[in-house]
Amino acid sequence: RRVLFRSNDNEIKYLENNHFTLLTDDDNIPFSFKLINKLSGIEVSFWNLISQKLSKPLSIEESLNNERLNISSNSIKTKFVYSFDKKAKDGYLFTVPISQIPITVVTKNDKNFITDLGILKNINVGVNKNLEIIQTLQKEYPNINFIELVSTDEGIEKLEKNKIFAFIDNMYTISHKIDKNNLNNLKINTSLNHKLNMYIQVEAKN
């Protein structure tokens, strides 16, 4: 069982005496998205669960054309952030990881199961930039040419055109893309030892 917030006296008062608003996007499937004018997804489900555990209402604010709608000044803004490494940022507090998402290696169906990336040499492997993991992979597997790609869609496109041997992304997003678009020529080949941690980032407020 994972702890969302530490429970010392100061933090309990912090939770009780402040109002929190989750900042989320409406087009980040499966993490947050709008379905029939209602926000849904993994982040919304977690936020509702936290609201129940705290026995207090929590707000959700969606972005509109990459702009945030007005939020009352007494509301503390929060958002879910993702990183395989521990997060730190001035002016913000972070929970412990509330969930861990597998980081997977996707290939075409005709590729053999990869038991160890270390046996691969002189091949191109795409890595989703949002994972922020490429430097770690380059150190662990120096014989692989890792290429940072800006999105899951770009990774899939290059994979289908045989411009990369494999593509590394979080399991939830890539699985959704494969299922939604009926990409029967692609498969989740294996998973890395690393996980993508899910944190809540909270504005530090005295």
Side-chain angles (χ1 to χ4, degrees):
R1 185 179 178 182
R2 297 195 177 278
V3 179
L4 295 176
F5 296 97
R6 297 182 185 276
S7 56
N8 63 47
D9 290 342
N10 288 335
E11 288 167 339
I12 290 175
K13 290 180 180 179
Y14 183 76
L15 294 172
E16 291 177 343
N17 297 333
N18 291 285
H19 180 69
F20 298 88
T21 297
L22 174 68
L23 303 181
T24 190
D25 297 317
D26 61 4
D27 61 351
N28 187 25
I29 300 173
F31 296 99
S32 60
F33 57 95
K34 208 163 191 178
L35 185 63
I36 314 177
N37 295 321
K38 182 179 179 181
L39 283 170
S40 302
I42 296 169
E43 293 184 358
V44 175
S45 296
F46 266 112
W47 195 240
N48 290 336
L49 177 62
I50 294 168
S51 177
Q52 294 174 14
K53 287 184 176 294
L54 295 177
S55 299
K56 66 180 296 180
L58 299 174
S59 302
I60 299 177
E61 185 81 14
E62 66 175 293
S63 64
L64 183 61
N65 297 325
N66 295 320
E67 296 292 337
R68 299 296 177 187
L69 302 179
N70 292 331
I71 301 175
S72 60
S73 59
N74 63 345
S75 177
I76 297 175
K77 294 179 284 294
T78 70
K79 65 182 297 186
F80 287 97
V81 293
Y82 304 86
S83 175
F84 86 98
D85 205 0
K86 185 176 181 180
K87 296 295 293 185
K89 186 176 180 181
D90 289 342
Y92 293 92
L93 305 174
F94 293 87
T95 64
V96 296
I98 63 173
S99 183
Q100 290 188 313
I101 303 167
I103 298 176
T104 56
V105 180
V106 179
T107 64
K108 284 194 167 181
N109 280 333
D110 60 353
K111 299 298 187 293
N112 292 330
F113 179 72
I114 302 170
T115 57
D116 179 11
L117 284 181
I119 66 176
L120 303 178
K121 295 182 179 180
N122 302 319
I123 60 168
N124 294 329
V125 174
V127 182
N128 192 318
K129 181 179 180 180
N130 293 329
L131 296 177
E132 300 179 353
I133 197 175
I134 191 166
Q135 292 184 353
T136 298
L137 295 177
Q138 287 169 336
K139 291 177 182 178
E140 292 178 345
Y141 307 105
N143 293 321
I144 297 176
N145 180 31
F146 292 103
I147 303 170
E148 198 167 63
L149 304 176
V150 298
S151 67
T152 302
D153 289 337
E154 184 184 13
I156 289 173
E157 179 183 359
K158 290 187 179 297
L159 195 57
E160 291 191 309
K161 292 181 178 179
N162 295 314
K163 293 187 176 181
I164 55 177
F165 175 85
F167 177 57
I168 295 174
D169 202 353
N170 79 77
M171 177 179 282
Y172 296 167
T173 300
I174 194 65
S175 296
H176 169 76
K177 292 283 187 179
I178 291 173
D179 292 342
K180 179 184 177 183
N181 299 307
N182 296 315
L183 302 176
N184 298 320
N185 60 328
L186 303 183
K187 67 180 179 181
I188 293 178
N189 188 300
T190 190
S191 295
L192 301 182
N193 291 328
H194 300 294
K195 303 288 186 183
L196 186 65
N197 294 311
M198 183 178 184
Y199 303 87
I200 298 178
Q201 174 186 288
V202 184
E203 277 188 318
K205 184 176 180 180
N206 296 329

